Amino acid sequence: MDDAMNTPLIEASGLTRNYASKPGVVAGVSDLSLRVERGEFVVIQGASGSGKSTLLLLLGALLRAERGTLRIDGVELTRLNAIERAQYRARSVGFVFQLFHLVPYLSVHRNVLSGLPPGVAVEPTEADRWIDTLGLTERRDANPATLSAGERQRVALARALVKRPPLILADEPTGNLDPDNAARVLEHLDHYRRAGGTVVLVTHGSEANRYATQRLRLEAGHWAIPSAFPSFNDSAS
Amino acid sequence: MNFTLQNILREGWHSRLNSALMLVALTGAVTLLTAVQLLTAAAERETRRVVRDMGFNLRILPKDTDPERFFLEGYSENTLPADTVTRLAAGAGTFITFNHLTPVLERRIRVGGHECLLTGLGDTVVGPGEKKQPMGFRITPGTAQVGSILAERLGVTVGGTVEVAGRTLRVERVLVEAGTEEDVRLYTALSDAQTALGLPGRISEIKAIDCLCLTADQDPLPKIREALSQLLPEARVIQMRALADARAKQRQASERVSAFAVPMTLLVAAVWILVLAVLNVRQRRVEIGLWRALGTGSSRIAALFLGKAALLGGLGGALGWAIGTLVALRWGPVLFPVTAASLKMDPALIGPALTWTPLFAAASSFLPAMMAVSQDPAETLRADG
């Protein structure tokens, strides 16, 4: 096994990012440390405004840290410029959002294809394989507006998985789904983890706990239990 | 088809209302610009024709003309060589100040027992590259055009003849009553007048139009006199001030309208397109955030917006040119009946319409596009927390 596979996928230290969410209210994360091994399913919980999404966007290089270090898959994100961060996202990260965020003018098939970075060659059937795997075969050419919430989230999941990224970042992926669809999405994420991928999922709820290999809680931008690498693994099923 | 073009076309179809509004804005702008361009050109032609029909406003006379006699008689008793016109026309910068140079020989004579003004008109000389259009009448040698009162006194009609100093001239036209000394004037070709008056190769004045088109408050006369003194020291010039002033005011007004209409149309179209582009960006904030989350580069995202604007610009340019031309051709003749025949489709406008409209649309969308790529995707993609 090469050295890269022995190092943690995510290592963060002193990670800080604040912003004014409302006049006079500063939200974000402050002085966070984090370590995530490859193949983990990390569940981060916390109330609204606790900094969960901010942390997720930092991990996805959509936000820049004001302070601290953040190394993912051997790349120090805080040193990347805008183009390099876009390349990192295209290559290494799959996003799944609570509100699905499908491109409204693309069919299911094309939305899945949109997850592929420009110039990346994959088997033409790869998108269809994920569409089939996620039970969307009949909806392949449908417009997102005609899909149910569960179907939309599965399209978003297929889009994230089609490029086989080392890391999936999921922001409340079950927040708009009924329990059956929520369970289905979490099963797919767990399946991806068991195949060697890493998942970081932020949520209000507890339905993802049973899949977690590491559980963390954020409160007002800090880990609820101060620790360099806090873990709730003992409570994970 | 590449990623960007495919997505532009799909998004354009998906956001049909926005695309249609933008296309309407661009088409409307080019329609207005094309129509305004054609109609202001028509208005200027019409104005030129109308002010030309006001007649000459400059009289270039032999320098030794006695002003008192000139105004009492209505013409100069002195003469210049007929080739003075060609010398004046050949002078450097003549047509900056003067145009429609027409040699004239004028005298009071008796015809058929009646006193009248004999006016011989030579060929008009216009500036280089200009279409030669006679200011007064083009008189064929051997023919005459007769003022209304004189014709009545002589009892002549079109096709009849008049005897002028022993020469018989066929009456080509009887002029309508003008209410001026024109009614007792007999127009002939310059050569016929020179023969009849025994003044071969001579003229009594050059009639002209002032090209400076300055209004009275801009005091054009010293400039005109200065120009003539350089070009033709043996002559002097009299300006028919009321006519010249009316002509200058009319032309300046026409130019002001043109100078206002075109940029105003452009400005309104730019604001309209800018507003639509900003609305489009606002509607697509989440999509932009998503493309960024997927790792799409800023240049590609900007290309989605600028490309859409440029494509719609090309389409709007072509449609606008066609509709603007149709509008001008349909209503132009109603607005400008005198020069209606000159109103034609102008193929020279299609090139600018097809090149400038996409550029203009892209430029109007540039700011919103830059806003799009610089906006924080975290703001649009986060659920909460």
Side-chain angles (χ1 to χ4, degrees):
Chain A
M1 199 178 281
D2 65 22
D3 288 346
M5 295 306 289
N6 290 328
T7 57
L9 182 71
I10 302 172
E11 279 182 295
S13 176
L15 205 57
T16 301
R17 169 72 194 217
N18 291 307
Y19 62 91
S21 62
K22 291 173 191 167
V25 179
V26 176
V29 294
S30 184
D31 200 24
L32 287 185
S33 294
L34 178 68
R35 180 186 174 110
V36 178
E37 304 294 337
R38 292 169 199 277
E40 278 206 83
F41 195 127
V42 181
V43 175
I44 301 171
Q45 292 169 304
S48 292
S50 60
K52 308 187 298 292
S53 294
T54 303
L55 176 60
L56 207 70
L57 294 169
L58 284 167
L59 297 178
L62 280 167
L63 280 180
R64 252 194 139 130
E66 287 160 2
R67 285 195 304 278
T69 59
L70 176 58
R71 179 175 289 269
I72 297 182
D73 205 12
V75 178
E76 178 53 57
L77 295 194
T78 55
R79 293 196 192 132
L80 301 184
N81 63 28
I83 293 171
E84 290 166 335
R85 283 189 288 138
Q87 287 168 347
Y88 157 78
R89 286 194 296 272
R91 190 182 60 244
S92 304
V93 183
F95 281 99
V96 184
F97 301 99
Q98 179 182 1
L99 298 175
F100 326 126
H101 295 323
L102 301 180
V103 182
Y105 50 85
L106 297 182
S107 66
V108 165
H109 181 245
R110 290 192 178 279
N111 260 290
V112 175
L113 284 175
S114 73
L116 291 170
V120 166
V122 294
E123 288 294 318
T125 55
E126 188 68 2
D128 282 321
R129 195 176 73 75
W130 281 108
I131 287 171
D132 294 341
T133 302
L134 290 158
L136 294 162
T137 311
E138 302 296 316
R139 313 293 276 151
R140 182 184 186 276
D141 298 314
N143 185 280
T146 65
L147 304 179
S148 69
E151 286 171 328
R152 288 183 205 189
Q153 195 59 298
R154 279 182 276 141
V155 175
L157 196 55
R159 181 181 60 194
L161 293 168
V162 70
K163 65 184 171 191
R164 297 175 177 277
L167 177 62
I168 292 281
L169 299 172
D171 189 357
E172 302 277 7
T174 57
N176 279 347
L177 303 182
D178 59 63
D180 286 348
N181 273 306
R184 204 167 167 185
V185 165
L186 291 170
E187 283 292 339
H188 283 298
L189 285 172
D190 188 52
H191 187 265
Y192 157 79
R193 179 195 70 79
R194 281 186 267 113
T198 304
V199 177
V200 177
L201 182 149
V202 301
T203 182
H204 283 104
S206 57
E207 59 276 89
N209 290 355
R210 58 189 290 258
Y211 301 98
T213 57
Q214 182 178 183
R215 284 173 55 204
L216 305 168
R217 175 171 290 278
L218 269 171
E219 284 177 8
H222 299 275
W223 296 127
I225 300 173
S227 161
F229 307 112
S231 174
F232 292 85
N233 282 347
D234 54 335
S235 62
S237 59
Chain B
M1 248 192 308
N2 67 23
F3 161 90
T4 305
L5 185 57
Q6 279 184 12
N7 284 340
I8 288 171
L9 295 177
R10 288 200 180 94
E11 194 281 330
W13 178 246
H14 178 78
S15 315
R16 289 186 287 280
L17 181 61
N18 179 280
S19 304
L21 283 173
M22 228 169 141
L23 184 61
V24 167
L26 287 160
T27 304
V30 180
T31 296
L32 272 173
L33 281 171
T34 305
V36 163
Q37 193 90 15
L38 289 172
L39 292 177
T40 49
E44 283 177 13
R45 269 199 304 274
E46 190 95 344
T47 303
R48 276 200 298 274
R49 176 68 73 85
V50 169
V51 296
R52 201 195 74 192
D53 290 348
M54 288 176 176
F56 298 103
N57 53 37
L58 293 178
R59 302 181 75 174
I60 298 166
L61 308 167
K63 193 159 199 164
D64 49 3
T65 298
D66 177 357
E68 199 175 296
R69 297 291 308 155
F70 172 77
F71 285 114
L72 286 171
E73 295 293 335
Y75 57 86
S76 172
E77 291 175 334
N78 302 82
T79 60
L80 291 163
D83 68 357
T84 307
V85 176
T86 46
R87 279 200 298 118
L88 176 59
T94 294
F95 292 101
I96 295 169
T97 313
F98 308 97
N99 205 350
H100 292 277
L101 310 175
T102 306
V104 176
L105 178 61
E106 205 161 32
R107 285 290 182 270
R108 193 186 299 265
I109 62 165
R110 291 190 75 81
V111 172
H114 299 278
E115 201 165 32
C116 69
L117 288 165
L118 174 66
T119 303
L121 292 176
D123 287 341
T124 296
V125 182
V126 293
E130 286 185 46
K131 203 171 162 187
K132 194 169 181 176
Q133 290 175 312
M135 285 288 296
F137 328 113
R138 192 187 296 278
I139 317 266
T140 310
T143 68
Q145 298 190 10
V146 189
S148 61
I149 292 175
L150 181 61
E152 190 186 321
R153 295 279 163 83
L154 295 173
V156 295
T157 54
V158 173
T161 58
V162 286
E163 291 285 324
V164 180
R167 283 174 57 84
T168 304
L169 303 175
R170 187 172 54 81
V171 176
E172 196 177 62
R173 187 177 168 200
V174 173
L175 305 173
V176 293
E177 189 175 327
T180 65
E181 75 277 7
E182 291 295 292
D183 294 337
V184 292
R185 202 180 288 276
L186 179 69
Y187 283 104
T188 69
L190 178 63
S191 56
D192 287 338
Q194 287 168 332
T195 304
L197 296 169
L199 291 168
R202 306 300 292 181
I203 57 174
S204 57
E205 67 178 283
I206 299 167
K207 292 195 177 188
I209 282 188
D210 146 35
C211 299
L212 294 177
C213 274
L214 299 175
T215 50
D217 56 312
Q218 293 168 309
D219 202 14
L221 204 47
K223 297 181 183 74
I224 293 167
R225 285 190 170 144
E226 171 63 22
L228 189 72
S229 71
Q230 303 288 322
L231 293 161
L232 221 56
E234 70 271 34
R236 64 189 301 172
V237 62
I238 288 170
Q239 187 193 43
M240 297 149 84
R241 195 150 186 162
L243 265 180
D245 197 40
R247 179 173 189 272
K249 281 178 177 160
Q250 183 63 39
R251 286 197 67 157
Q252 286 183 8
S254 169
E255 285 163 9
R256 277 196 300 274
V257 169
S258 303
F260 172 78
V262 174
M264 198 60 194
T265 310
L266 207 59
L267 182 69
V268 169
V271 170
W272 189 357
I273 291 160
L274 186 68
V275 168
L276 287 171
V278 170
L279 288 177
N280 188 235
V281 170
R282 286 186 62 81
Q283 282 171 357
R284 296 175 68 186
R285 285 176 77 220
V286 171
E287 181 200 335
I288 293 159
L290 174 67
W291 285 121
R292 296 196 64 192
L294 293 174
T296 306
S298 298
S299 56
R300 273 194 168 205
I301 297 173
L304 285 175
F305 290 86
L306 298 181
K308 180 182 178 181
L311 267 181
L312 289 173
L315 193 57
L319 281 173
W321 174 80
I323 298 171
T325 300
L326 286 174
V327 166
L329 293 181
R330 169 67 184 81
W331 282 285
V334 179
L335 296 170
F336 307 111
V338 177
T339 53
S342 309
L343 247 172
K344 290 186 175 67
M345 178 179 80
D346 187 355
L349 295 177
I350 184 84
L354 288 179
T355 50
W356 285 106
T357 316
L359 287 174
F360 174 70
S364 297
S365 296
F366 181 77
L367 192 64
M370 289 305 104
M371 283 162 54
V373 296
S374 63
Q375 71 187 17
D376 187 349
E379 289 299 314
T380 52
L381 296 178
R382 82 170 70 234
D384 66 14

